[in-house]
Amino acid sequence: MWATTDEPAPRVGTFAVPGTSPGIGITHRWDHLGLRASGSHDIALHEVEIPADHVVDIAAHGSGAQQDNRAGSALHLPLAALYLGVARAAQRYFHRFAHERIPANLGHPVARTERFRRAAGEIALRLDSAEQLVFGGAERVDAADDTYTPELALGARILADRNAVEAVGLAVRLLGNPGLSRDNPLERHFRNVQCAPVHALQEDVALLAVGSRALEGTG
């Protein structure tokens, strides 16, 4: 966890809190727009003692105490995969709807129309390309490829989140009002994928890390 000490001259840093420590509680206040089933409740610490050897890093307030947003960046690949899974579920429902929906004035499934076929192509392109970035990056991390930089992982997360949100939004627009009905699975997928761009690290912070490294290489 990232926290500030209560010393006369406070310091800030990262602390590893043992999960079995007395005083740890769960708030059970998770009532989010999306990912409600994830149970991502807040953790409350009540006078929890942390051993000195569980201080990961600590520094005085100031530039030296800034959180390293590049550290653990590979962990953003599973997060990206999670939201891609949401988008794939939305895609499957979109395909089913397109094949089953037969308007009276059309006489055949909307899947045959140019509008739906073009949208299906756009959704597939976005999700396929995002998966290549995320899964390809994960393979390089698993292989301990030291040429796979933190910035590449952060970039994969940014693009995957963008593509997932756009793909699901496009599916909803094609379905129209039924896509936002609470009894429609697509409505749930639409809500869930909205969590992608607000799930830390947020895009502006990730872009700052990516851009800073890019400019360092050309200075």
Side-chain angles (χ1 to χ4, degrees), residues 107-195:
H108 59 75
V110 293
R112 297 185 190 177
T113 65
E114 185 175 306
R115 183 168 180 249
F116 270 77
R117 291 166 70 181
R118 184 181 293 112
E122 177 71 22
I123 291 171
L125 180 64
R126 287 184 176 276
L127 300 187
D128 290 348
S129 60
E131 282 190 356
Q132 289 180 27
L133 279 174
V134 173
F135 295 163
E139 288 178 359
R140 293 175 67 178
V141 170
D142 289 344
D145 181 353
D146 58 8
T147 66
Y148 191 73
T149 65
E151 289 75 22
L152 289 174
L154 291 174
R157 162 80 190 280
I158 291 170
L159 291 177
D161 286 354
R162 287 180 180 177
N163 283 358
V165 170
E166 288 296 327
V168 179
L170 178 57
V172 170
R173 291 195 294 274
L174 263 290
L175 264 67
N177 283 330
L180 293 177
S181 176
R182 289 191 183 276
D183 62 354
N184 190 318
L186 191 57
E187 185 267 349
R188 182 178 71 255
H189 302 324
F190 179 73
R191 283 190 290 102
N192 287 343
V193 84
Q194 302 310 309
C195 298

Side-chain angles (χ1 to χ4, degrees), residues 9-201:
R11 293 180 292 170
V12 64
T14 303
F15 304 84
V17 182
T20 57
S21 300
I24 297 178
I26 301 176
T27 64
H28 294 287
R29 295 176 181 171
W30 183 250
D31 187 18
H32 216 242
L33 170 73
L35 292 184
R36 293 177 181 172
S38 69
S40 302
H41 304 290
D42 290 335
I43 300 296
L45 306 181
H46 303 283
E47 299 183 357
V48 176
E49 294 185 5
I50 302 175
D53 60 0
H54 281 55
V55 178
V56 179
D57 60 69
I58 192 168
H61 280 276
S63 58
Q66 294 296 318
Q67 191 169 14
D68 183 5
N69 291 316
R70 298 172 66 253
S73 57
L75 295 177
H76 292 284
L77 296 176
L79 281 176
L82 183 155
Y83 292 110
L84 282 174
V86 172
R88 284 299 192 190
Q91 181 190 39
R92 288 192 294 271
Y93 181 82
F94 176 77
H95 288 178
R96 191 176 80 192
F97 177 91
H99 286 294
E100 294 178 354
R101 174 67 170 170
I102 305 176
N105 64 332
L106 195 60
H108 59 75
V110 293
R112 297 185 190 177
T113 65
E114 185 175 306
R115 183 168 180 249
F116 270 77
R117 291 166 70 181
R118 184 181 293 112
E122 177 71 22
I123 291 171
L125 180 64
R126 287 184 176 276
L127 300 187
D128 290 348
S129 60
E131 282 190 356
Q132 289 180 27
L133 279 174
V134 173
F135 295 163
E139 288 178 359
R140 293 175 67 178
V141 170
D142 289 344
D145 181 353
D146 58 8
T147 66
Y148 191 73
T149 65
E151 289 75 22
L152 289 174
L154 291 174
R157 162 80 190 280
I158 291 170
L159 291 177
D161 286 354
R162 287 180 180 177
N163 283 358
V165 170
E166 288 296 327
V168 179
L170 178 57
V172 170
R173 291 195 294 274
L174 263 290
L175 264 67
N177 283 330
L180 293 177
S181 176
R182 289 191 183 276
D183 62 354
N184 190 318
L186 191 57
E187 185 267 349
R188 182 178 71 255
H189 302 324
F190 179 73
R191 283 190 290 102
N192 287 343
V193 84
Q194 302 310 309
C195 298
V198 300
H199 198 147
L201 289 174

